[in-house]
Every structure is written in structure tokens, then in C-alpha cells.
Amino acid sequence: HPGNRTAPHRLGLIALRGRDFEEAYAELDLAFMADPGHRGIRKSLGYAAVWSGRLEEAASLLQEIPEAAYEMGVYRSWWKGQARPDLASQAARMEEILKGQEKFKQDEKEN
């Protein structure tokens, strides 16, 4: 059913856990289209976007998730420990992007 968010959300989470990031992205995107206001779906889709190399899209999804920049720093170290320097690098880049967005928002508030 096109409006069903539960099935693609769950399938996306299963794919994320299995490190099938393209499948996770596809499923979570369906869930997001069904319910774009669902914070958990937005965050999971953003992470799937990071791990599948869609950093610009991930930044757009994760800019409203305050803990995402910190968690990307944690993931940077974690992926290194998992012998995945590619994903560690993507996490580091996303951390930089999100911290840049935070600084921009802070500067806007001050001016």
C-alpha cells in the first residue's frame, strides 16, 4: 500500500543493520514519502544517505536532527574500528557539514 510507512520503515532498518545501504535508502525513502514528518524515519533515511554516499541529501535530512553531528563523530571512530575507512570518511565529512550548518544557524541568530 503506497501510504503504508511501517513496512518500508522496518525493511529499511533491517537493511541498515545488514549494511545494505542502497536497499535501506530505497525502503526508507518510501517510508519518508509516506510520512515526511516522522523524525525516526527522517533520521534513519539521513543515515542511509550518508552511508550510501548521498551527502548533500543527508545534510538536508539531518539538519533538523540536533544529535546527528555528534553521532557522526562517534560513527567516524566506530567505522574505523570496523575496518571501513570509506564509511569513516563519509561520517567525518557529514560531521563537518552538519557542524557548519550549526555554526551558520548560530551566526544568523546573533545577527
Side-chain angles (χ1 to χ4, degrees), residues 57-100:
E57 185 172 349
S60 174
L61 290 161
L62 296 175
Q63 68 184 349
E64 302 302 321
I65 308 293
E67 69 275 13
Y70 167 79
E71 289 179 1
M72 284 296 134
V74 173
Y75 272 115
R76 178 176 24 92
S77 299
W78 189 80
W79 282 122
K80 282 182 187 175
Q82 299 294 307
R84 290 296 305 264
D86 57 329
L87 297 177
S89 176
Q90 286 168 220
R93 181 70 186 116
M94 184 52 48
E95 181 184 19
E96 289 174 15
I97 291 167
L98 293 172
K99 284 184 175 179

Side-chain angles (χ1 to χ4, degrees), residues 2 16-17 20 38 50-51 53 70 75 79-80 82 88 106:
L16 268 179
R17 185 153 194 213
D20 184 347
H38 189 288
V50 172
W51 310 141
Y70 167 79
Y75 272 115
W79 282 122
K80 282 182 187 175
Q82 299 294 307
Q106 189 63 32

Side-chain angles (χ1 to χ4, degrees), residues 8 24 29 34 43 50 58 80 84 88 102-103 111:
D29 192 45
K43 183 176 178 179
V50 172
K80 282 182 187 175
R84 290 296 305 264
E102 287 174 8
K103 180 165 178 18
N111 292 327

